[in-house]
C-alpha cells in the first residue's frame, strides 16, 4: 500500500512540474521526444565533409499545442528554417558546402510527440 501511495505522489509531482515548468522526455535522434508544455531549444553540431553536399533532416510528429521551428545554422546565421504545428511528416534538405554547422530545434509551448533524425549525405541532381 505504501508503494502505491508513493508512486501516486511521484506521478502527481511529475504532472505538477510538467504543467508549471514544462517537460521533455526522450533522446533524439534515437528516441522520439514527448513534450508537455515545453518551451526551449536544443542544438546539435553537424560536420559536413568535402564528399557531402546536403544535410537531410526528417521531422515527424503531432503537436496538440505549440510550435516547432527547425533551423540549419552556419556560424550563427540561419541557412534554412521550417516551422511546424499540428500533425506533420517532412523531410528537409539543406544544401551544405564543407564545414561546421548546427541544427537548432526550438519549441514554444509544445505538447505532443516528435521524432527527429538527421544525416549529411550526397544527393543526385
Amino acid at each position: 500500500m505504501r508503494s502505491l501511495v508513493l508512486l501516486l505522489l511521484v506521478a502527481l509531482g511529475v504532472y505538477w512540474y510538467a504543467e508549471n515548468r514544462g517537460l521533455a522526455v526522450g533522446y533524439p535522434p534515437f528516441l522520439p521526444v514527448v513534450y508537455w508544455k515545453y518551451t526551449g531549444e536544443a542544438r546539435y553540431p553537424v560536420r559536413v565533409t568535402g564528399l557531402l553536399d546536403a544535410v537531410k533532416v526528417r521531422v515527424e510528429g503531432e503537436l496538440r499545442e505549440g510550435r516547432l521551428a527547425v533551423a540549419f545554422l552556419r556560424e550563427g546565421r540561419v541557412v534554412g528554417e521550417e516551422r511546424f504545428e499540428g500533425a506533420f511528416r517532412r523531410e528537409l534538405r539543406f544544401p551544405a558546402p564543407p564545414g561546421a554547422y548546427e541544427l537548432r530545434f526550438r519549441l514554444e509551448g509544445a505538447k505532443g510527440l516528435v521524432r527527429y533524425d538527421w544525416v549529411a549525405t550526397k544527393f543526385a541532381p
Side-chain angles (χ1 to χ4, degrees):
M1 184 67 176
R2 278 189 226 157
S3 299
L4 186 60
V5 170
L6 181 62
L7 186 60
L8 180 64
L9 286 174
V10 168
L12 286 172
V14 169
Y15 177 77
W16 179 86
Y17 184 84
E19 281 291 319
N20 292 301
R21 303 275 186 172
L23 184 67
V25 179
Y27 189 74
F30 306 108
L31 298 173
V33 183
V34 177
Y35 296 106
W36 190 274
K37 293 192 177 181
Y38 180 79
T39 297
E41 73 177 37
R43 293 174 177 248
Y44 299 96
V46 176
R47 177 157 305 280
V48 177
T49 65
L51 300 175
L52 308 172
D53 66 355
V55 173
K56 180 174 73 170
V57 181
R58 196 170 114 210
V59 183
E60 61 183 88
E62 183 175 343
L63 293 177
R64 292 183 298 278
E65 295 176 16
R67 290 184 292 275
L68 164 68
V70 178
F72 188 60
L73 302 118
R74 181 172 187 158
E75 298 173 356
R77 290 176 299 190
V78 176
V79 176
E81 184 172 20
E82 290 280 335
R83 297 177 187 276
F84 302 96
E85 290 183 40
F88 50 88
R89 183 181 204 141
R90 292 278 314 273
E91 186 175 286
L92 311 172
R93 292 183 183 184
F94 300 108
Y101 294 88
E102 194 171 53
L103 276 172
R104 180 183 69 200
F105 299 97
R106 181 176 288 163
L107 294 118
E108 296 173 17
K111 190 174 185 181
L113 178 86
V114 180
R115 179 171 169 74
Y116 311 103
D117 195 10
W118 58 88
V119 65
T121 186
K122 182 116 178 124
F123 292 104

